[in-house]
Amino acid sequence: LVADRALDTHDAAVERHLRRLLDAQLIEPTGHEGLLRFRHVLMRDAAYRSQLTGDLRARHLATAEVLRDARAADPALTAFHFDRGGRPLDALVSYLQAVDRARATGSFAEVFAHLQRCEALLTALPDETIRAQFELAVRFNRGLAVSSTAGYAAPGAVEDFGWARDLCERLSHVSGIGTELLKALLGLWTYYCARGELDTAADVSSAIEHQLDRTPMRAGRPSLDACRGVEAFYRGDLPRARNLLSRAVAGFAEGDVDPADWPLPNDPLAAACAFLGPLRFLTGDVAGALQAIDTGVRRSQPLEFPRGPFSVAFVRTFAAVLYRLRDDPTAAVVAAEEVIELGDRHGFFDWQLAGRMQHGAARVMVDPSPEALAELEEAIATWCAVGGEVLVPWLRVEQAGGHLARGDLDMAAACLDEAFRSMEGGQRLGLPEALRLRAQLRLRSDSPARAQAHDDLRQAIGVARAQGNVYTMLRAALAHRRAFPREGDELVDAALAEAVAAYGDATAFPDLVAARELVAAGSTDVKLG
């Protein structure tokens, strides 16, 4: 096939030689039209070693180009031939395609192997800007793989995502790479949000906005609204969160994401609906909360793997939060068990841990037994150990409530201390509930600190009102009435009236029933449970 070390491109000659090899049963069809392979790997290796060194590069390149043009070709094999053929740029492109394919099937060993070879090829790229673009792809993909297998706090993930942020800044003004840069920034935002680093996540969302000003991306603006809505949710700015997330949902309806270009395993519309579930409930919209969860599940179920089951787990996690808020721990347990099952079945590291945390919290609500509290503590500790911090303050407050229900005041105080410490990172959503429980803890101590408890409850009402958090405002006001039934307080009266008005004729939950009775009676003498 080779004369004077140049490939013979005469079709008849190639066809004749291939026929001879087929007749000799040295090669065979692969099942894909026009593609052949050696019948045995030993025969393949012997044929390969018999070639002259000078012919190898040309043959590798010819093979790579044929494979690249064949839609059914494995990109890893194409990358291998470009690599051996001395074309590092083409090899990197194909290796990264192979990374995407391997990650979609959960083959992380292949992901790491491909990325290791990519990193070695970077030094062969002479152009500094092009090298930085491919290094960003390598760092970002490896960071995703490390965080998915070893957690957000794994040194490799921290290092790779940190480098990726720096590379995004360096490349922000390079033309022609805007879409790829946006994909990396969205992935970085997800990483820092999961770690509870909301200030860093906000910096990344600002970078996304600046990049969108220069490079339009399909569903880019709704994606940015969703990111900022989630930031506002965790910070406790619920009106802003609701506005942004609702706008994101409307934006995705007008212009959906392209699955081929979407860089994350979750569907962004489903994720926005997941957050809108508990958010709408907290702001007084019970029917809208349930509708959001239903919309998120229906959106997720028909989607392809891994986006479909990953997104179902996402929505069901926040459904478990919503069900606990509605005082329906049985439904919360079912939702959490579904999340755990999806995580175990598909190897979704995040949802294995998130499901366990939600399951523990639901069990504590049903019966704060030592076993249930231990399950919740273990799940939270594991999540924190791998670098997860998001929602931890809220769960610590629920944990404190379980210990308080058992009369274990020391453990309740320790959990509340952890909750307040976690809120220093900006997650203030659980602050009103933490203040309410601290007041109850003060009142149940050996030397009841009534003045401090009174101040805690008034502060809880004020914070909840500022957050737009009707649910926690209602609970703090009721706690004040229970603790100080003979003390008239305009702030408390107003909070109860506002909460009842906000929920309107919504399906009742126990605290809402009590608040309605108080408002209807216009008296603090109503007996509360």
Side-chain angles (χ1 to χ4, degrees), residues 44-333:
R44 181 201 66 188
D45 292 346
Y48 185 81
R49 287 194 297 268
S50 69
Q51 299 175 92
L52 297 176
T53 303
D55 296 332
L56 283 176
R57 176 170 293 190
R59 288 173 174 166
H60 276 298
L61 287 178
T63 303
E65 289 167 355
V66 169
L67 290 172
R68 182 178 58 188
D69 295 338
R71 293 182 180 274
D74 181 354
L77 184 59
T78 306
F80 168 81
H81 285 291
F82 274 127
D83 193 350
R84 292 295 182 91
R87 294 253 291 270
L89 187 61
D90 291 311
L92 280 163
V93 171
S94 294
Y95 274 129
L96 289 171
Q97 291 172 352
V99 166
D100 289 341
R101 177 181 288 194
R103 185 173 58 241
T105 60
S107 303
F108 286 104
E110 292 182 37
V111 169
F112 288 121
H114 296 327
L115 290 173
Q116 183 177 20
R117 187 55 195 157
C118 284
E119 189 170 31
L121 288 171
L122 291 174
T123 57
L125 301 178
D127 185 279
E128 183 178 346
T129 299
I130 293 176
R131 185 165 61 250
Q133 293 176 41
F134 278 99
E135 184 178 2
L136 172 60
V138 171
R139 294 280 188 177
F140 171 64
N141 280 286
R142 190 168 58 196
L144 284 178
V146 172
S147 62
S148 296
T149 54
Y152 299 104
V158 174
E159 179 182 356
D160 279 331
F161 280 121
W163 269 99
R165 277 189 66 205
D166 293 340
L167 288 165
C168 283
E169 292 180 12
R170 286 170 50 190
L171 294 167
S172 60
H173 296 288
V174 176
S175 61
I177 65 165
T179 300
E180 294 304 314
L181 204 57
L182 284 167
K183 292 179 185 179
L185 287 168
L186 286 165
L188 287 169
W189 181 89
T190 300
Y191 170 75
Y192 287 112
C193 185
R195 284 178 61 87
E197 298 181 26
L198 297 183
D199 289 340
T200 304
D203 290 340
V204 175
S205 61
S206 294
I208 293 172
E209 181 178 30
H210 295 323
Q211 196 62 39
L212 283 171
D213 290 338
R214 292 188 289 267
T215 308
M217 177 185 181
R218 184 172 171 178
R221 292 292 172 179
S223 298
L224 175 60
D225 285 340
C227 291
R228 286 182 162 163
V230 171
E231 293 169 23
F233 174 81
Y234 286 127
R235 291 186 187 278
D237 188 349
L238 299 191
R240 182 168 187 265
R242 182 166 180 165
N243 177 57
L244 287 165
L245 288 167
S246 297
R247 194 167 74 186
V249 169
F252 288 129
E254 293 177 3
D256 209 347
V257 296
D258 182 352
D261 285 336
W262 184 245
L264 303 176
N266 65 281
D267 177 76
L269 172 54
C273 290
F275 282 98
L276 279 171
L279 192 157
R280 285 177 174 170
F281 181 88
L282 292 170
T283 55
D285 183 3
V286 178
L290 296 170
Q291 181 184 32
I293 293 298
D294 181 64
T295 300
V297 172
R298 285 189 288 105
R299 163 73 173 194
S300 303
Q301 286 176 334
L303 297 177
E304 78 287 348
F305 178 86
R307 202 161 57 110
F310 193 97
S311 299
V312 171
F314 199 131
V315 177
R316 295 297 285 165
T317 294
F318 284 86
V321 176
L322 170 61
Y323 296 144
R324 294 200 306 280
L325 293 171
R326 293 189 68 217
D327 199 37
D328 189 354
T330 301
V333 168

Side-chain angles (χ1 to χ4, degrees), residues 391-402:
L391 266 184
V392 165
W394 183 280
L395 289 166
R396 287 292 188 194
V397 171
E398 291 190 79
Q399 187 182 27

Side-chain angles (χ1 to χ4, degrees), residues 365-388:
M365 190 174 181
V366 173
D367 175 21
S369 64
E371 294 77 16
L373 286 162
E375 178 187 355
L376 180 56
E377 171 58 32
E378 182 182 359
I380 294 174
T382 303
W383 178 240
C384 292
V386 300

Side-chain angles (χ1 to χ4, degrees), residues 236-526:
D237 188 349
L238 299 191
R240 182 168 187 265
R242 182 166 180 165
N243 177 57
L244 287 165
L245 288 167
S246 297
R247 194 167 74 186
V249 169
F252 288 129
E254 293 177 3
D256 209 347
V257 296
D258 182 352
D261 285 336
W262 184 245
L264 303 176
N266 65 281
D267 177 76
L269 172 54
C273 290
F275 282 98
L276 279 171
L279 192 157
R280 285 177 174 170
F281 181 88
L282 292 170
T283 55
D285 183 3
V286 178
L290 296 170
Q291 181 184 32
I293 293 298
D294 181 64
T295 300
V297 172
R298 285 189 288 105
R299 163 73 173 194
S300 303
Q301 286 176 334
L303 297 177
E304 78 287 348
F305 178 86
R307 202 161 57 110
F310 193 97
S311 299
V312 171
F314 199 131
V315 177
R316 295 297 285 165
T317 294
F318 284 86
V321 176
L322 170 61
Y323 296 144
R324 294 200 306 280
L325 293 171
R326 293 189 68 217
D327 199 37
D328 189 354
T330 301
V333 168
V334 172
E337 288 175 345
E338 184 178 351
V339 175
I340 294 170
E341 192 276 329
L342 285 166
D344 290 343
R345 189 198 321 167
H346 300 294
F348 296 150
F349 174 77
D350 289 6
W351 302 126
Q352 289 172 327
L353 294 182
R356 288 172 55 202
M357 288 190 291
Q358 301 302 325
H359 191 266
R363 282 190 62 201
V364 167
M365 190 174 181
V366 173
D367 175 21
S369 64
E371 294 77 16
L373 286 162
E375 178 187 355
L376 180 56
E377 171 58 32
E378 182 182 359
I380 294 174
T382 303
W383 178 240
C384 292
V386 300
E389 283 288 340
V390 78
L391 266 184
V392 165
W394 183 280
L395 289 166
R396 287 292 188 194
V397 171
E398 291 190 79
Q399 187 182 27
H403 285 295
L404 192 61
R406 287 186 56 80
D408 192 339
L409 305 189
D410 289 340
M411 286 300 300
C415 291
L416 279 178
D417 287 343
E418 283 295 314
F420 283 116
R421 181 196 62 76
S422 298
M423 290 177 203
E424 294 173 2
Q427 290 191 67
R428 294 172 57 85
L429 179 64
L431 181 57
E433 279 290 278
L435 290 167
R436 182 183 68 82
L437 281 180
R438 189 170 70 181
Q440 292 187 359
L441 191 61
R442 293 186 194 278
L443 292 170
R444 292 181 59 178
S445 62
D446 291 337
S447 301
R450 293 184 60 81
Q452 292 93 328
H454 182 275
D455 291 343
D456 277 343
L457 291 172
R458 286 180 57 84
Q459 184 182 354
I461 294 170
V463 172
R465 175 179 279 164
Q467 290 184 349
N469 195 333
V470 179
Y471 173 77
T472 55
M473 181 176 70
L474 182 153
R475 286 169 64 82
L478 283 177
H480 190 283
R481 282 286 178 261
R482 292 184 176 105
F484 307 100
R486 304 299 175 186
E487 295 183 18
D489 193 307
E490 292 183 0
L491 175 68
V492 177
D493 292 341
L496 288 171
E498 288 174 23
V500 169
Y503 280 106
D505 59 356
T507 303
F509 50 94
D511 286 336
L512 183 57
V513 171
R516 283 174 175 164
E517 290 178 356
L518 280 174
V519 171
S523 168
T524 58
D525 295 331
V526 175

